[in-house]
Amino acid sequence: GGLTPEQRAKIFHRKMLRGDVRGAVRYLTDREKGGILQPTDIDEKTGDSVETVLRSKHPDARIPKPESLPQYDNTPDFVEVDITEDTVAKVARRLSGSAGLGGTDSHALKHWLLRFGVASTKLRVALAEFTDWLSNGFPPWAGYRGLMSGRLCALDKCPGVRPVGVGETWRRATAKILLLVAGAEAKEACGIDQLCAGLEAGIEGGIHAMQALWDLHEAEEQWGFLLIDASNAFNEQNRIEMLWTVRHEWPSGARFVFNCYKHWTVLVLRGNDGHAAFIFSKEGVTQGDPLSMFAYGIGILPLIRQLKAEFPTVEQPWYADDAGAGARFDEIERFFHRLCEVGPKFGYFPSPPRASSSCESTILRLLDFASLTSRSEQGIDTWEASSARMRLSTSGSPKRPSFGRKL
C-alpha cells in the first residue's frame, strides 16, 4: 500500500512483540498484491463498486419445499456438550484474529482470559457458561443478537471480490470452544466424503490418491480430470437445508449452529470516509466464522453422497465447495450435467469448469464440453469454450496436473 518503510517496520515489530510470528512474516513478505478494498473502489472483474458487488453476493433467503430436504430414517437425540473453564483456557491460548464491531481483538481477549489470576478465572467460567447456554439450549435471539453481528471486509481476489465477515472475538471464541468439544463428531460425519472438517492427513491422502489415479490413466486419450468450483459458495448455500442436515448429521453441534444462523446476520461495511452500509446475511454461512467450514461441509454431504452413489466410477475428491471428477470424458460429462441439475437445490452453483487432459488429441473434446450451455430454471451461467484452461506445455505435450494446488 502507501505505507513508508518506517511504518511497515513498526507494524512488523508490533506483531513480533505479540508473538504473532506467522503474521509478521506474512506481512513482511507481502508482494503488495491483493489486500482490502474500500466500498467505493471499483471491482475490476465486474466494473461495479465493491459495495454493489458485496450486496449481490448476499442473496435473499430461499425457502425449500419440505419434500426436497434430504430424507433420514430417524432424528437423533440432541447430545449435551460439557463446556468447562479448562476448555476455555485451552482455546484462549490459541486465539487469533482482528477485532469485530466491538473493538476487542484476539490479543486483548487472550490477555484478559489468561493473565489476571482470579479475575481471569471468573471470566473463563462466565464464557464457559455462555457457550454452554448457546450449545445446550435455545436462548432467545434478542439475548445475544448483537454478538452475532460482524464487520464485512472485501478482499481483492485479483480480479474479483471475496466477502469476509469478521465476527466479534467473543463469538469466534465460543465457536472454537464448541469445536474443541464437539468437532470430532463433525469430522466423523464427513469422513472421507468431505475433507474440510479436519480429517487427519485427509488433504495429503487426497492428493496422493488423485496423483496415483492420474499416473494410472495418463496414457488414455479418453480419460481426464475436471476441477469444479462453486460460485459464491458459502453465501449461496441454502441455510435451511444446511441446518436440517446439521441437525441429523451433527447432533452435538446442531443447537449451537442453529442458534448462530436461525436469523439473518447483520454485517457492517465501513469505509475510510466514514460511510457505513448494513448488509444482511440471509443465506449460507459467513466466511470468517470458525463454524463455516464445518457447517458448509456437512450441509452439502447429501449432495456429495448422491453423486457418489449415482456415479461410482467417477473419482470425486471434495474440499468444501472445491471438487474434482476423474473418469472417462463421457462419464464426466454425465456427472457434470447431473451436478448442475441437483446442485442448485443445495445452493451449489458450479462455476465454469477447468479441465486437465492426459492427451493433446482430447483438447477439442474438452473445449466442446466446456462450451456447454445450461438453461436450467436456476439460472446457471452460460459457459464459453475459453473457460477451459488446458495445462499444456508450449510444445504441445501434456503437463501433469498440480493436484496439490486445488482438488
Side-chain angles (χ1 to χ4, degrees):
L3 298 179
T4 65
E6 291 77 13
Q7 290 173 321
R8 292 177 62 85
K10 288 182 179 179
I11 294 175
F12 173 79
H13 182 64
R14 185 164 61 247
K15 289 179 178 291
M16 290 297 294
L17 289 179
R18 288 185 173 186
D20 185 12
V21 179
R22 183 177 66 173
V25 172
R26 285 180 174 178
Y27 179 78
L28 193 65
T29 57
D30 182 24
R31 300 296 192 272
E32 303 299 337
K33 183 179 180 180
I36 298 178
L37 299 171
Q38 293 297 313
T40 54
D41 290 342
I42 300 300
D43 173 30
E44 296 179 1
K45 188 175 182 179
T46 63
D48 298 324
S49 69
V50 169
E51 181 178 341
T52 301
V53 174
L54 289 176
R55 290 187 181 277
S56 69
K57 286 182 175 290
H58 291 84
D60 290 333
R62 299 184 296 270
I63 308 300
K65 296 180 180 179
E67 59 270 18
S68 69
L69 295 173
Q71 299 299 309
Y72 291 93
D73 295 334
N74 55 70
T75 301
D77 295 332
F78 287 114
V79 177
E80 296 288 322
V81 294
D82 184 23
I83 309 293
T84 66
E85 178 261 334
D86 290 336
T87 309
V88 176
K90 291 179 182 178
V91 170
R93 296 186 182 95
R94 302 198 299 268
L95 285 177
S96 62
S98 59
L101 292 174
T104 301
D105 63 11
S106 59
H107 179 73
L109 183 55
K110 182 191 302 185
H111 198 63
W112 298 344
L113 289 170
L114 299 175
R115 302 294 178 84
F116 293 97
V118 175
S120 292
T121 301
K122 291 181 179 179
L123 183 59
R124 291 197 299 269
V125 171
L127 185 55
E129 292 177 350
F130 180 75
T131 308
D132 182 271
W133 189 54
L134 291 175
S135 303
N136 295 318
F138 297 98
W141 178 253
Y144 61 95
R145 177 178 58 185
L147 197 67
M148 297 295 111
S149 302
R151 285 193 298 122
L152 181 59
C153 298
L155 302 186
D156 189 357
K157 294 172 62 176
C158 300
V161 176
R162 183 187 305 279
V164 173
V166 182
E168 288 290 344
T169 312
W170 297 96
R171 178 192 175 179
R172 302 203 305 269
T174 58
K176 292 180 179 180
I177 291 168
L178 183 278
L179 290 174
L180 180 62
V181 177
E185 187 182 54
K187 179 171 60 178
E188 182 179 354
C190 290
I192 62 173
D193 291 332
Q194 179 58 276
L195 301 179
C196 71
L199 181 67
E200 288 80 1
I203 297 177
E204 291 83 356
I207 292 171
H208 288 298
M210 293 304 105
Q211 188 64 65
L213 191 67
W214 181 267
D215 293 339
L216 181 64
H217 297 280
E218 189 172 11
E220 297 182 25
E221 291 189 1
Q222 299 301 317
W223 197 94
F225 198 89
L226 185 70
L227 300 181
I228 305 167
D229 189 16
S231 175
N232 194 28
F234 281 68
N235 292 308
E236 289 283 359
Q237 184 182 35
N238 189 281
R239 183 172 293 183
I240 293 177
E241 187 277 333
M242 179 272 291
L243 292 173
W244 171 265
T245 305
V246 168
R247 171 66 184 90
H248 291 84
E249 300 282 354
W250 190 19
S252 60
R255 282 180 288 197
F256 190 92
V257 176
F258 176 79
N259 288 329
C260 289
Y261 288 102
K262 63 183 179 182
H263 284 295
W264 298 350
T265 302
V266 178
L267 299 174
V268 182
L269 177 65
R270 298 188 294 202
N272 290 335
D273 57 356
H275 170 76
F278 295 83
I279 298 176
F280 289 107
S281 174
K282 305 175 184 180
E283 280 284 68
V285 292
T286 303
Q287 267 185 292
D289 180 6
L291 282 176
S292 60
M293 275 294 187
F294 292 82
Y296 183 88
I298 293 176
I300 64 170
L301 270 180
L303 171 64
I304 297 172
R305 290 169 180 167
Q306 179 180 345
L307 291 172
K308 287 190 173 184
E310 294 182 10
F311 301 93
T313 59
V314 178
E315 297 295 333
Q316 305 171 44
W318 286 79
Y319 185 91
D321 63 303
D322 296 323
R328 293 178 60 83
F329 280 108
D330 54 347
E331 296 174 322
I332 291 179
E333 187 171 351
R334 290 196 299 271
F335 165 82
F336 198 77
H337 272 299
R338 184 60 174 158
L339 175 60
C340 293
E341 291 175 3
V342 300
K345 182 180 71 173
F346 300 87
Y348 191 96
F349 298 92
S351 297
R354 289 164 288 178
S356 295
S357 170
S358 60
C359 183
E360 185 180 7
S361 63
T362 59
I363 292 178
L364 293 178
R365 178 81 178 270
L366 270 172
L367 292 178
D368 289 340
F369 173 59
S371 64
L372 289 170
T373 301
S374 174
R375 307 185 186 279
S376 63
E377 295 179 355
Q378 289 79 10
I380 301 176
D381 295 335
T382 298
W383 299 321
E384 301 297 337
S386 59
S387 298
R389 297 184 229 166
M390 305 305 301
R391 292 196 180 97
L392 296 176
S393 65
T394 54
S395 63
S397 59
K399 284 186 178 180
R400 297 163 76 99
S402 179
F403 292 114
R405 292 186 180 180
K406 194 164 187 114
L407 281 178

